[in-house]
């Protein structure tokens, strides 16, 4: 189950990253863009880490994916405030990082 | 596919699906009935008719039946020994949605006046991208506000549109993490479910889940505990305890569940994750890092955590962030209160307890007292195998350490309760599930319902005060769009949605210092010459005076500030105020002032930046 749980996390990370970028950049309505922004804050960064780490419980895996993502987004956003370099769209890089890490995790499991 | 194949296939497919459908229907009937009953009940509640005894007293039978059905259905599922996760999850999500979306649906605007201050900080970051008001403590701890600003910016919306649903989002996320943590602490799969059910009732009244740094910090703190318990538990030692400390510890840890298996590499990853999450907490909130530190300190003293230097690492992160802000904290708030834990834990002492407020306060005090007493009773029952409850007990009572240092403006005791509640819920749930009595599930349901409705009285008791209408938020928005920057804006009562604009700092907001809950009562608002003199002392030619439904509700609920009603009725005549804006819940007057030589009294402006 441990491999399956981290694989599921990786799939969630890839889907979440793609979904977030598509909605933030292309949504015709604000509420849809908001859904994308929330997914960006809640999934990619955490999935990038948790697709390599098995917590042993599905709910714990989901909870840690969520909180690690939120922590990373909060720190990154605070850094932009402190350094006077406010570019929220830079957070889309988290989606790219999440997709790369999750893709690598899936490639690694196939390779083995 | 031919028609013939259809005629052959369909009955087979139906026969195959019938038993599962038959099994499914009764299972989901009760949760759906519960949610449906709650939803219908909410649709029949008139928010404007909720009085001082709160929403429960004004609710209808459908609202109550919906909540009861969800709790009873949840307990029945456990009692039948099936405890299917998806069904229990459905009940739990339904219950959390019912508890935490009712006020948002009824009023359509974020609850609590101080949430609007938080929205203002996020809006300032969203608009200007840097710290705009260094004297505001929220801007010095910006992690949550910056994250909200990022999300709002990416979606091109105002943070106001997120805030109403923050309590629901935080509670769902908290429940997810708690379920994960509780499963690490017990073999019995029923106990975590019961514990989360109890928790939702117990903490409902604390109202610490609105869009705020502490709700964010609390969520991250739960993640820290999950990481510590999953990967950073000290391995069990088979050796005899050496030294007096170890011998003292030994009986406390008798029967302790062994640590989950892990690896050295995984421990290193866990420490790194912990450091990142803890830094996010430290940069978001002033108090939560120290509550987290207290919990980890107690676990370290009990020798339950590896590496032992984790505590030092956390303390270093907290202190490193605090040091550059130390002067600001010491000058504006004080680093420590008077060091008297009883005084620090006495809550908001100047409140007028009467009527609905007194009843609600009594209910939640009894609930809090019962929670701690039941938890202590359950620990006492385990006196021969204290290790089985050592971790939750340590986490349940370590938050009291906060009271040794800070009253946090009277709010420290609420944080102690919040940080203690999950572990008390787990300890109580463990005791309930292990009862041998045939009626244990009846008792579990009764305890859960009692906790839920007591907690809801605490949450909804002051809803007429804490909730704002869309009309009040519109009136507040009108001020920022029409009143010249630099103007004096006067609130006779602080209970109004204010400071939600990015430019809040461009206005001179003043609250009449007539409410003993925020200051010594030295101004009677019905004394117009005193009011005129006070407003004139700020040196403006004109003041904008705001009165509203929620101010009147708050005055009625708390019995303060005295003279508010007389002031409102005499603004047009006694103060010469002319109406510049009016809707059905708020009125804004322009009052022409004459300069007074009187010195401006100590302003409660600092209160506007008071950390909540």
């Amino acid at each position: 189950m441990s491999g399956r749980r981290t694989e599921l996390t990786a799939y969630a990370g890839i889907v979440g990253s793609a979904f977030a970028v598509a909605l933030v950049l292309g949504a015709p309505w604000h509420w849809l863009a908001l859904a994308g922004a929330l997914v960006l804050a809640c999934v990619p960064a955490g999935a990038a880490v948790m697709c390599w780490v098995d917590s042993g419980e599905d709910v714990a895996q989901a909870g840690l994916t969520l909180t690690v993502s939120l922590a990373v987004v909060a720190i990154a956003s605070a850094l932009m405030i402190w350094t006077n370099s406010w570019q929220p769209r830079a957070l889309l890089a988290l989606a790219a990082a999440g997709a790369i890490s999750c893709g690598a995790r899936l490639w690694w499991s196939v390779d083995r | 596919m031919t028609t013939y194949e259809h005629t052959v296939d369909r009955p087979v497919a139906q026969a195959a699906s019938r038993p599962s459908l038959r099994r499914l229907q009764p299972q989901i009937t009760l949760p759906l009935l519960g949610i449906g009953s709650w939803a219908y009940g909410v649709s029949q509640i008139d928010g404007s008719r909720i009085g001082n005894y709160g929403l429960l007293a004004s609710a209808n039978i459908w609202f109550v039946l919906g909540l009861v059905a969800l709790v009873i259905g949840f307990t029945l599922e456990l009692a039948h020994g099936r405890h299917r996760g998806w069904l229990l999850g459905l009940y739990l999500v339904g219950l959390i949605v019912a508890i935490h979306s009712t006020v948002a649906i009824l009023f359509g605007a974020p609850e609590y006046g101080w949430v609007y201050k938080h929205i203002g900080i996020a809006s300032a970051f969203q608009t200007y991208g840097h710290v705009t008001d260094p004297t505001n403590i929220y801007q010095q701890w910006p992690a949550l506000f910056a994250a909200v600003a990022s999300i709002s910016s990416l979606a091109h919306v105002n943070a106001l549109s997120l805030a109403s649903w923050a309590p629901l989002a935080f509670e769902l996320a908290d429940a997810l993490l708690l379920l994960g943590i509780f499963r690490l602490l017990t073999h019995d799969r029923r106990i975590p479910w019961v514990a989360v059910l109890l928790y939702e009732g117990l903490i409902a009244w604390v109202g610490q889940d609105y869009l705020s740094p502490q709700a964010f910090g609390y969520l991250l703190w739960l993640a820290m505990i999950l990481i510590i318990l999953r990967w950073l538990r000290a391995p069990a030692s088979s050796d005899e305890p050496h030294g007096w400390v170890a011998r003292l510890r030994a009986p406390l840890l008798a029967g302790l569940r062994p640590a989950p298996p892990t690896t050295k590499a995984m421990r290193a990853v866990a420490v790194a994750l912990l450091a990142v999450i803890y830094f996010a907490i430290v940069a978001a909130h002033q108090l939560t890092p120290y509550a987290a530190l207290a919990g980890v300190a107690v676990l370290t003293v009990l020798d339950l955590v590896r590496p032992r230097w984790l505590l030092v690492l956390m303390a270093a992160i907290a202190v490193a962030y605090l040091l550059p802000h130390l002067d600001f904290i010491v000058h504006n708030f004080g680093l420590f209160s008077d060091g008297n834990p009883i005084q620090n834990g006495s809550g908001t002492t100047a409140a007028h307890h009467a009527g609905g407020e007194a009843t609600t306060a009594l209910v939640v005090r009894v609930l809090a007292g019962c929670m701690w007493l039941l938890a202590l009773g359950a620990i006492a029952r385990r006196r021969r195998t204290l290790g089985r409850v050592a971790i939750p007990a340590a986490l349940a009572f370590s938050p009291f350490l906060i009271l040794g240092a800070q009253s946090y403006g009277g709010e420290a005791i609420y944080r102690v309760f919040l940080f203690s509640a999950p572990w008390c819920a787990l300890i109580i749930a463990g005791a309930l599930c292990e009862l041998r009595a045939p009626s244990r599930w009846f008792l579990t349901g009764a305890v859960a319902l009692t906790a839920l409705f007591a907690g809801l009285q605490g949450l909804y008791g002051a809803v007429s005060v804490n909730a704002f209408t869309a009309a009040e938020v519109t009136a507040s928005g009108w001020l920022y769009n029409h009143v010249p920057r630099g103007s004096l804006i006067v609130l006779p009562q602080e209970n109004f949605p204010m400071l939600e604009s990015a430019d809040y700092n461009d206005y001179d907001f003043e609250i009449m210092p007539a409410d003993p809950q925020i200051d010594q009562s030295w101004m009677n608002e019905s004394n117009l010459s005193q009011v005129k003199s006070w407003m004139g002392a700020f040196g403006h030619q004109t003041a904008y005076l705001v009165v509203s439904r929620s101010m009147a509700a708050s005055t009625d609920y708390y019995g303060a500030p005295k003279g508010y009603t007389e002031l409102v009725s005499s603004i047009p005549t006694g103060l010469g105020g002319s109406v510049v804006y009016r809707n059905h819940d708020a009125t804004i007057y322009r009052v022409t002032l004459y300069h007074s030589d009187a010195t401006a009294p100590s302003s409660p402006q600092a209160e506007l930046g008071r950390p909540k």
Side-chain angles (χ1 to χ4, degrees):
Chain A
M1 182 60 196
S2 71
R4 210 172 101 73
R5 191 158 24 240
T6 48
E7 273 179 36
L8 274 176
T9 310
Y11 281 119
I14 290 171
V15 171
S17 300
F19 187 70
V21 173
L23 289 184
V24 167
L25 295 180
W29 302 289
H30 291 326
W31 62 268
L32 213 49
L34 180 60
L38 287 171
V39 171
L40 183 69
C42 296
V43 180
V49 178
M50 295 307 295
C51 69
W52 299 97
V53 177
D54 180 30
S55 67
E57 275 285 350
D58 293 347
V59 285
Q61 191 81 6
L64 286 176
T65 301
L66 169 73
T67 43
V68 170
S69 294
L70 288 173
V72 170
V73 167
I75 292 171
S77 303
L79 281 173
M80 287 192 275
I81 292 294
W82 287 324
T83 56
N84 254 338
S85 51
W86 184 244
Q87 294 294 335
R89 284 206 167 192
L91 292 178
L92 291 171
L94 291 175
I100 291 168
S101 174
C102 293
R105 167 67 184 87
L106 293 175
W107 179 81
W108 180 80
S109 65
V110 170
D111 196 43
R112 275 168 61 108
Chain B
M1 190 179 278
T2 64
T3 313
Y4 172 75
E5 282 171 318
H6 267 299
T7 56
V8 171
D9 285 347
R10 196 174 292 156
V12 174
Q14 281 176 353
S17 66
R18 256 182 216 141
S20 59
L21 260 180
R22 215 176 287 148
R23 275 201 302 271
L24 195 63
Q25 280 165 358
Q27 291 161 17
I28 60 168
T29 301
L30 196 51
L32 291 184
L33 273 178
I35 294 167
S37 176
W38 160 79
Y40 179 72
V42 171
S43 74
Q44 299 303 305
I45 296 172
D46 180 356
S48 65
R49 301 185 71 171
I50 295 172
N52 281 352
Y53 285 85
L55 197 152
L56 283 183
S58 308
N60 49 61
I61 190 70
W62 299 107
F63 181 84
V64 175
L65 273 181
L67 295 171
V68 171
L70 290 169
V71 173
I72 298 290
F74 186 98
T75 317
L76 282 176
E77 176 64 14
L78 286 168
H80 287 157
R82 292 189 291 259
H83 43 90
R84 288 156 292 197
W86 68 268
L87 188 56
L88 291 168
L90 181 63
Y91 277 115
L92 200 58
V93 169
L95 191 65
I96 294 171
V97 168
I99 294 171
H100 296 287
S101 64
T102 297
V103 174
I105 292 169
L106 282 176
F107 289 89
E111 205 178 357
Y112 307 113
W114 43 90
V115 168
Y116 293 84
K117 300 174 195 171
H118 300 172
I119 293 168
I121 307 295
S123 298
F125 288 163
Q126 185 180 353
T127 306
Y128 300 111
H130 57 85
V131 171
T132 57
D133 180 9
T135 62
N136 188 314
I137 189 168
Y138 296 132
Q139 297 211 12
Q140 300 294 335
W141 271 260
L144 171 78
F145 304 117
V148 172
S150 288
I151 293 168
S152 307
S153 292
L154 287 169
H156 305 289
V157 296
N158 188 291
L160 198 59
S161 51
L162 301 171
S164 294
W165 301 99
L168 177 61
F170 277 126
E171 288 299 338
L172 286 171
D174 289 347
L176 188 70
L177 283 166
L178 283 172
L179 208 51
I181 295 169
F182 293 162
R183 283 181 177 175
L184 284 171
L185 291 171
T186 171
H187 287 297
D188 189 334
R189 303 290 281 187
R190 298 164 305 174
I191 294 175
W193 287 109
V194 175
V196 177
L197 176 70
L198 288 176
Y199 170 83
E200 291 304 330
L202 288 171
I203 55 90
W205 70 272
V206 190
Q208 298 285 321
D209 46 17
Y210 49 86
L211 184 70
S212 62
Q214 69 266 24
F216 180 64
Y218 181 75
L219 174 68
L220 297 188
W221 172 74
L222 291 179
M224 284 182 61
I225 294 293
L226 178 52
I227 291 170
I228 289 171
L229 296 182
R230 173 62 185 85
W231 290 292
L232 300 178
R233 282 268 314 273
S237 168
S238 54
D239 301 339
E240 283 294 306
H242 295 295
W244 65 272
V245 176
R247 277 196 294 276
L248 270 179
R249 246 181 341 227
L252 299 176
L253 303 179
L256 181 70
R257 199 179 169 194
T262 184
T263 62
K264 205 173 172 181
M266 204 39 250
R267 280 179 181 277
V269 172
V271 170
L273 282 178
L274 212 63
V276 170
I277 293 174
Y278 189 64
F279 181 70
I281 297 176
V282 165
H285 194 225
Q286 303 82 26
L287 188 66
T288 305
Y290 302 97
L293 212 52
V296 176
V298 172
L299 292 179
T300 306
V301 167
L302 287 172
D303 201 27
L304 292 170
V305 178
R306 290 289 187 282
R308 290 191 181 102
W309 50 260
L310 183 67
L311 184 67
V312 179
L313 174 71
M314 287 172 60
I317 294 172
V319 171
Y321 194 90
L322 180 65
L323 279 179
H325 301 96
L326 196 59
D327 273 353
F328 176 79
I329 290 286
V330 170
H331 283 112
N332 292 288
F333 304 96
L335 194 57
F336 297 106
S337 303
D338 61 7
N340 178 349
I342 306 293
Q343 184 68 30
N344 290 343
S346 60
T348 45
T349 49
H352 297 260
H353 294 298
E357 191 211 358
T359 306
T360 301
L362 179 67
V363 168
V364 298
R365 280 176 187 158
V366 170
L367 178 66
C370 286
M371 181 189 83
W372 279 316
L373 284 176
L374 280 174
L376 284 172
I379 293 168
R381 279 192 72 220
R382 288 248 175 262
R383 61 191 172 279
R384 290 180 204 289
T385 52
L386 277 176
R388 293 179 65 183
V389 289
I391 292 173
L395 293 170
F397 294 97
S398 60
F400 283 92
L401 292 172
I402 297 170
L403 297 181
Q406 259 289 357
S407 72
Y408 209 59
E411 291 192 10
I413 189 64
Y414 306 117
R415 306 296 158 79
V416 170
F417 183 88
L418 180 70
F419 280 83
S420 176
W423 322 109
C424 289
L426 180 63
I427 293 166
I428 296 166
L432 284 170
C433 289
E434 288 171 15
L435 283 177
R436 298 240 167 82
S439 57
R440 66 176 165 166
W441 292 111
F442 174 78
L443 187 64
T444 302
V447 170
L449 277 174
T450 307
L452 177 67
F453 281 97
L456 289 184
Q457 180 56 34
L459 178 66
Y460 298 149
V463 79
S464 62
V465 177
N466 293 330
F468 300 105
T469 62
E472 287 173 296
V473 179
T474 304
S476 178
W478 184 91
L479 277 170
Y480 292 106
N481 289 327
H482 294 86
V483 169
R485 291 184 185 212
S487 297
L488 172 65
I489 298 173
V490 173
L491 308 182
Q493 228 273 9
E494 75 164 344
N495 193 48
F496 187 71
M498 284 308 301
L499 308 181
E500 78 278 17
S501 161
D503 299 316
Y504 73 90
N505 201 33
D506 290 346
Y507 298 85
D508 185 2
F509 282 100
E510 298 295 342
I511 301 167
M512 286 186 193
D515 186 346
Q517 284 194 95
I518 58 169
D519 211 338
Q520 282 254 303
S521 180
W522 54 269
M523 183 168 143
N524 184 347
E525 292 185 358
S526 64
N527 184 336
L528 292 185
S529 61
Q530 211 175 36
V531 169
K532 275 183 202 168
S533 163
W534 178 80
M535 288 202 294
F538 291 102
H540 293 262
Q541 297 283 347
T542 308
Y544 292 84
L545 190 58
V546 185
V547 295
S548 74
R549 178 211 64 86
S550 56
M551 287 185 195
S554 178
T555 305
D556 188 37
Y557 189 79
Y558 292 108
K562 288 188 171 33
Y564 171 83
T565 312
E566 290 89 333
L567 172 68
V568 172
S569 61
S570 56
I571 291 171
T573 50
L575 292 179
S578 56
V579 175
V580 289
Y581 178 86
R582 173 175 277 160
N583 65 33
H584 53 85
D585 284 332
T587 305
I588 302 169
Y589 296 93
R590 183 169 49 221
V591 178
T592 304
L593 301 171
Y594 301 97
H595 287 295
S596 157
D597 291 336
T599 310
S602 64
S603 156
Q605 179 74 17
E607 289 294 327
L608 298 172
R610 183 179 60 174
K612 285 283 181 184

